[in-house]
Amino acid sequence: MKISLQKSWPNNWESGILIIKNVPASIPIEEIHSAIQVFSKNSGSLKVRFQFPGSKPDTTNWVLESPATVLTELIHIKKIPLRWNMYQISEFYHIKRCNFCQAYGHTTKNCHHNIPSCATCAGYHSTKDCLSEYCFCVNCYSTNNLDHNNPSSYHSARDKRCPCYLTEIELYKKSRDYSHN
């Protein structure tokens, strides 16, 4: 059986994007694809978007594009077995956040701000130079009408539970059409 995986960027809003997290770097994508085929008959149309280092040493996160029907099947199983271990599989949300000003919708390359905002404390310095012992989200601070006492602002701009980040995920989901595949 020949497996054809292609590196690509999405050209179709009806496709879904999934991520398989912390797979040992020694496991080739073809083996991952074979494991996925057990759970989805239409997995032959998976395309590699990109890969990046996992959160554990010597691991890789694989980001794959798939038809919406395949994405739906795979995110319901939550994990796939590879070499006697289970690896998390979920939908991947491509949310752009600038590492300079921390705002959503653009990256540092396209940022028009002149003064940085720290992702940790919202101070006017780069995140790598932060010495603060507390967290404060510049996005939530701006969204909450500059209410410095709002408890929902006391987290990092990188926090996956940030209300602004969760709003961006909901907007991303609404921009996708999963019904036609």
Side-chain angles (χ1 to χ4, degrees):
M1 168 174 73
K2 184 177 180 183
I3 298 171
S4 63
L5 295 173
Q6 306 169 20
K7 290 191 177 185
S8 72
W9 292 102
N11 56 6
N12 170 346
W13 287 112
E14 295 170 357
S15 63
I17 303 169
L18 59 95
I19 183 169
I20 305 168
K21 297 181 179 175
N22 294 313
V23 176
S26 61
I27 297 179
I29 189 62
E30 293 80 11
E31 189 172 335
I32 295 168
H33 188 266
S34 294
I36 290 172
Q37 281 184 322
V38 171
F39 298 99
S40 176
K41 295 174 186 165
N42 297 320
S43 65
S45 54
L46 289 176
K47 296 177 185 173
V48 175
R49 291 272 314 270
F50 57 91
Q51 67 188 68
F52 60 97
S55 60
K56 298 176 183 173
D58 301 317
T59 63
T60 300
N61 293 327
W62 286 94
V63 178
L64 308 168
E65 183 179 1
S66 70
T69 53
V70 174
L71 173 72
T72 303
E73 290 172 350
L74 295 175
I75 61 174
H76 281 96
I77 62 170
K78 298 186 192 307
K79 293 186 178 185
I80 60 164
L82 289 165
R83 298 186 184 176
W84 300 97
N85 289 304
M86 300 297 281
Y87 297 94
Q88 184 181 350
I89 188 167
S90 59
E91 186 168 5
F92 179 79
Y93 305 109
H94 186 74
I95 307 296
K96 291 181 182 179
R97 184 180 56 81
C98 177
N99 287 317
F100 186 76
C101 73
Q102 309 313 319
Y104 291 101
H106 68 276
T107 60
T108 304
K109 180 180 177 182
N110 300 317
C111 187
H112 299 292
H113 288 86
N114 297 325
I115 301 171
S117 291
C118 176
T120 303
C121 73
Y124 297 127
H125 56 265
S126 69
T127 305
K128 68 179 180 177
D129 297 331
C130 187
L131 301 174
S132 179
E133 294 181 12
Y134 70 93
C135 290
F136 197 74
C137 179
V138 66
N139 294 315
C140 288
Y141 179 71
S142 298
T143 301
N144 293 326
N145 298 321
L146 307 176
D147 179 4
H148 194 69
N149 295 317
N150 188 319
S152 67
S153 297
Y154 291 99
H155 57 270
S156 164
R158 294 186 211 142
D159 193 322
K160 297 296 183 196
R161 296 165 297 180
C162 170
C164 292
Y165 176 72
L166 296 175
T167 298
E168 289 296 317
I169 288 176
E170 289 307 312
L171 290 171
Y172 178 86
K173 286 179 179 179
K174 287 178 183 176
S175 74
R176 313 291 291 183
D177 181 6
Y178 298 131
S179 62
H180 293 83
N181 284 7

